[in-house]
Amino acid sequence: MRLLVVSATEREAQSISEWCKPTKSTSKWVKSFHYENAIIDVLVTGAGIVPTTYALGRLLMLYSYDLAINIGLAGSFKKEFLLGSVVNVVEDRFSELGAEDGGNFIPIGDMNLPGYDGFPFEDGMLHPDEPDDVELLKEIPHVKGITVNTVHGNVE
């Protein structure tokens, strides 16, 4: 099995190097590890949607994987998820995608632009494919998420 782990920073993926054996990397952009019968490639992209998309797109043009996992730090508006909780984001929205009109924000879905409900979106949401044969993914709490380029720091 060949796995891809994507993270914005090396620190977010640091634990992989602690419990996996390093192996020869297949690309200058990844660090490769061996764990039991799996090869794990770790791609560190830098923070933000654009560098992640670019790095991931470039790598996936060259290599294929059985499973790709995006790991990293995230926040939650729900108190039930304590620091260090692991979740499976099964719906994701780009909450900042839209336009400003004075002090008002207009979501992309309200702008009559194509793509809001076209591939890969459904009603503005991404619904990642979840492999049926990975039992662990079924045990992790399923959540809805938002992807942002700006960290929210306003209580309102």
Side-chain angles (χ1 to χ4, degrees):
M1 177 176 260
R2 188 161 183 188
L3 306 174
L4 175 62
V5 174
V6 181
S7 71
T9 68
E10 288 197 29
R11 187 170 182 201
E12 291 169 319
Q14 181 178 347
S15 63
I16 293 171
S17 64
E18 295 171 1
W19 51 265
C20 294
K21 180 181 176 184
T23 189
K24 184 179 179 200
S25 295
T26 56
S27 166
K28 64 181 179 180
W29 305 298
V30 300
K31 290 183 180 176
S32 297
F33 300 89
H34 185 261
Y35 182 77
E36 294 185 4
N37 294 327
I39 297 295
I40 303 170
D41 284 347
V42 177
L43 174 65
V44 177
T45 64
I49 298 167
V50 174
T52 299
T53 301
Y54 177 80
L56 189 56
R58 187 166 179 168
L59 186 68
L60 292 177
M61 285 189 330
L62 302 173
Y63 304 100
S64 61
Y65 294 91
D66 298 302
L67 179 65
I69 300 171
N70 188 2
I71 64 171
L73 300 178
S76 176
F77 296 116
K78 295 187 175 189
K79 302 287 186 212
E80 67 194 76
F81 295 114
L82 303 175
L83 188 61
S85 295
V86 176
V87 297
N88 182 4
V89 179
V90 296
E91 290 185 0
D92 195 10
R93 178 180 306 275
F94 293 95
S95 65
E96 299 170 330
L97 193 57
E100 286 186 355
D101 181 10
N104 297 319
F105 177 76
I106 305 169
I108 192 83
D110 295 348
M111 297 173 61
N112 297 320
L113 293 173
Y116 180 77
D117 200 24
F119 178 81
F121 298 96
E122 292 177 30
D123 194 27
M125 298 288 281
L126 291 173
H127 299 271
D129 293 333
E130 186 172 297
D132 294 331
D133 59 343
V134 181
E135 288 298 319
L136 181 61
L137 290 178
K138 296 175 185 174
E139 298 172 20
I140 298 171
H142 289 186
V143 299
K144 294 180 182 180
I146 59 172
T147 293
V148 298
N149 274 311
T150 304
V151 176
H152 299 279
N154 186 328
V155 175
E156 294 174 19

